Amino acid sequence: MTTPTDLRSKIRQAAKAVLSYWNDAPNTSVAPAKVRSAITRLSVVLDSSDGPLLRAAERLVRAAMPSIDLERSWTTEPLRALIRYLLTLSRQLHYSPVAHENLDLCDQMRRAPNVVADLDENQRNQLLSALMVVEDATCAIEGYRSLPQFGHVDEAYLAKYGLMQALQLGFDAAVSVGRVLGTEQRADTTREGKSIKITRTVVAGHPLGGNMQGQSWQHYHDRASAHDKSVIKIMSFASRDATEWTGLTQSTVKLMDDGLVVIRDLLRVVLAGLHPAKDLVE
């Protein structure tokens, strides 16, 4: 995982590789006109500033991906790999600032001398595994942010379940990072962290029979708004008396932003507990 500056550099390198391969690849003359046009534009701006280059790279990805997915005759395996790599880099470049910070914090801890000097092999493995889950959860959260509006409720349910599980995974992994390095923390000590964990429990954890306010409840998605990407609405009915009910409406943008901040703050505390006087190793 890399910083926005690193990503822009990698996009430039990947663009050069695409153009170099394109000139020698077979059957590129049968590529769709919009792909050939995007290739021409990319070659024109290759040595220009980042802005035009990034726009040209994203234009090529949009034009080429339908053919890449269908593996047309001109889309050889190396070219498919390069285009997909460009897609990954350009998506990561649009992550939120706090997502980039989380990924950078993971990288800093991975390179900290304490990881090499003070941990045994099993502990290093546990730490690196936890850091990878933090990174993966961060990517998943940002993935929800970049989704288009849902075409059907089945897509919405899958994405919303996935979002809440990704937030929970990010919390658990950040806590595990601290535990390996001797810092015990909880993700639900803040109002935001507690709210997210409760929402995850009723949405994708224990919707049927979960305890709330000292009694068992049944939780249901509000189906009228289930297709709406921007909100998660839950109706909760007391198991012993269905006339006793309450509702919960959460903004998915707030859930994502708050969740990433909770993860960031957990990681910051852990990093601060390492030996700050030592220089990081490459």
Side-chain angles (χ1 to χ4, degrees):
M1 299 297 177
T2 51
T3 66
T5 300
D6 294 330
L7 287 169
R8 287 189 285 270
S9 176
K10 288 185 176 183
I11 289 173
R12 188 176 296 276
Q13 294 170 7
K16 290 180 179 179
V18 168
L19 292 173
S20 176
Y21 182 79
W22 181 271
N23 292 330
D24 297 325
N27 301 323
T28 52
S29 61
V30 302
K34 61 182 179 181
V35 175
R36 288 183 276 115
S37 175
I39 285 286
T40 299
R41 177 59 183 167
L42 186 63
S43 65
V44 169
V45 301
L46 184 61
D47 296 321
S48 65
S49 60
D50 286 342
L53 175 65
L54 297 176
R55 289 192 292 271
E58 291 179 349
R59 176 186 174 188
L60 174 60
V61 167
R62 289 194 301 271
M65 279 309 299
S67 296
I68 297 297
D69 289 338
L70 294 173
E71 299 189 2
R72 299 301 190 193
S73 62
W74 62 272
T75 62
T76 58
E77 185 57 37
L79 188 59
R80 288 196 291 271
L82 286 169
I83 296 294
R84 289 189 175 117
Y85 183 49
L86 265 181
L87 172 61
T88 297
L89 294 173
S90 61
R91 283 177 66 92
Q92 289 182 4
L93 190 61
H94 294 293
Y95 282 4
S96 64
V98 66
H100 281 297
E101 184 175 358
N102 286 351
L103 299 177
D104 183 59
L105 286 166
C106 288
D107 194 48
Q108 289 184 56
M109 277 185 277
R110 187 180 285 108
R111 296 183 293 111
N114 312 63
V115 174
V116 176
D118 299 344
L119 302 180
D120 61 32
E121 183 176 357
N122 288 335
Q123 290 172 320
R124 285 196 295 273
N125 186 56
Q126 293 171 16
L127 176 62
L128 295 177
S129 298
L131 289 172
M132 289 174 66
V133 174
V134 171
E135 291 170 337
D136 292 347
T138 298
C139 292
I141 293 165
E142 289 296 318
Y144 185 97
R145 195 190 303 275
S146 68
L147 289 174
Q149 290 298 324
F150 302 123
H152 196 273
V153 292
D154 52 8
E155 300 170 2
Y157 286 131
L158 178 61
K160 289 178 179 180
Y161 292 152
L163 172 61
M164 298 317 303
Q165 287 294 85
L167 287 163
Q168 182 69 54
L169 281 170
F171 287 1
D172 291 346
V175 169
S176 294
V177 168
R179 185 174 297 117
V180 175
L181 293 174
T183 302
E184 289 290 341
Q185 298 184 88
R186 292 178 60 95
D188 57 359
T189 55
T190 64
R191 182 182 61 185
E192 293 80 9
K194 184 175 183 179
S195 175
I196 291 169
K197 294 197 73 170
I198 290 173
T199 304
R200 178 264 171 184
T201 296
V202 301
V203 170
H206 306 283
L208 302 178
N211 289 326
M212 184 172 66
Q213 299 174 353
Q215 61 175 309
S216 177
W217 292 74
Q218 313 294 320
H219 308 286
Y220 307 95
H221 276 273
D222 170 39
R223 291 190 170 182
S225 63
H227 65 283
D228 188 346
K229 177 188 172 185
S230 65
V231 296
I232 292 179
K233 292 186 178 181
I234 298 295
M235 302 300 295
S236 303
F237 296 86
S239 299
R240 67 184 182 187
D241 182 3
T243 63
E244 185 178 352
W245 63 276
T246 185
L248 173 68
T249 299
Q250 291 276 35
S251 159
T252 53
V253 170
K254 181 171 172 53
L255 286 169
M256 290 183 288
D257 291 345
D258 288 349
L260 289 168
V261 167
V262 170
I263 294 169
R264 180 200 66 190
D265 290 348
L266 291 169
L267 295 176
R268 280 180 172 178
V269 170
V270 177
L271 187 61
L274 300 179
H275 303 306
K278 292 184 178 181
D279 293 330
L280 296 179
V281 297
E282 293 297 329

